[in-house]
Amino acid sequence: MEFRWLARKELEKLKQIDRKELVEEVYYVRDHELRLVREFYDIDGWLESELGLYLQRLQSVFDGEGVIIGAFDNNVLVGIVSLEGYLIHGKTMKLDMLYVSHDYRKQGLGRRLVDIATQEATELGASELYISATPVRNTVDFYMRLGAELAIPPDAYLFELEPLDIHLILPI
């Protein structure tokens, strides 16, 4: 596995990541606590419109001097992590994106990418990461295992952008 910063022209490789996932439970925040609810849906990959929005986000992170690191297996992008290039309230960096291809999950790749992002954030002066996580149980539980906690209250601006997400803080 090769880990490296992505060049702007490589951002389109995001579509190589297999987002397949069968979702059976999602979290909601009620009264400042996580509540697990059974919901079923099948994520079968990237919707073309969704992929375009995520590519725009990556380009914005890249142009804003953020950090975008890919994990490559035989020149195929199988994981990606990105950090916004600025500090929130002088101490927090936003972990903007983390994706790991379906066949590479539960092998430590996501943790390795977060570790790399954490090291980069620390070098840039951050003491915590802000994570706006999709409410899928696997995703939220992953961040909680790393030590993330609910952001109470969540950042107002970031919450407005993604009100259905679970907003977390990960001390680093």
Side-chain angles (χ1 to χ4, degrees), residues 29 32 89 128 130 149-156 159 167-169:
V29 176
H32 304 298
H89 308 299
E128 61 187 23
Y130 191 98
E149 300 174 352
L150 273 178
I152 300 177
D155 180 276
F159 183 80
H167 294 256
L168 305 166
I169 295 291

Side-chain angles (χ1 to χ4, degrees), residues 7-69:
R8 195 172 203 284
K9 66 183 179 184
E10 293 180 296
L11 300 180
E12 297 249 344
K13 291 181 183 246
L14 179 65
K15 62 186 162 195
Q16 295 176 346
I17 293 178
D18 180 2
R19 288 189 60 210
K20 179 175 29 185
E21 183 173 8
L22 179 62
V23 175
E24 297 179 358
E25 296 174 299
V26 297
Y27 282 107
Y28 291 92
V29 176
R30 301 287 185 256
D31 299 320
H32 304 298
E33 292 184 14
L34 286 174
R35 306 273 192 225
L36 196 56
V37 176
R38 294 188 64 74
E39 289 186 18
F40 297 90
Y41 52 96
D42 192 358
I43 299 170
D44 192 31
W46 294 101
L47 298 174
E48 201 59 39
S49 60
E50 182 182 51
L51 181 61
L53 292 173
Y54 281 101
L55 287 172
Q56 286 176 355
R57 276 177 59 178
L58 282 175
Q59 289 165 353
S60 177
V61 168
F62 188 91
D63 294 343
E65 299 183 16
V67 173
I68 304 171
I69 296 167

Side-chain angles (χ1 to χ4, degrees), residues 62-148:
F62 188 91
D63 294 343
E65 299 183 16
V67 173
I68 304 171
I69 296 167
F72 290 85
D73 187 7
N74 293 320
N75 293 319
V76 175
L77 185 68
V78 297
I80 191 169
V81 67
S82 66
L83 287 170
E84 293 281 357
Y86 58 88
L87 291 172
I88 303 167
H89 308 299
K91 65 176 183 171
T92 308
M93 288 193 86
K94 182 176 186 277
L95 190 146
D96 186 64
M97 195 177 295
L98 174 67
Y99 283 108
V100 174
S101 282
H102 178 269
D103 292 344
Y104 291 82
R105 294 181 195 145
K106 301 198 184 299
Q107 298 177 28
L109 181 56
R111 175 178 284 276
R112 179 72 178 117
L113 286 166
V114 171
D115 287 346
I116 292 168
T118 297
Q119 181 179 354
E120 295 290 335
T122 301
E123 290 174 12
L124 294 169
S127 60
E128 61 187 23
L129 296 179
Y130 191 98
I131 302 163
S132 181
T134 59
V136 173
R137 181 178 188 172
N138 289 338
T139 301
V140 174
D141 286 356
F142 166 78
Y143 288 120
M144 300 292 271
R145 281 192 305 273
L146 295 179

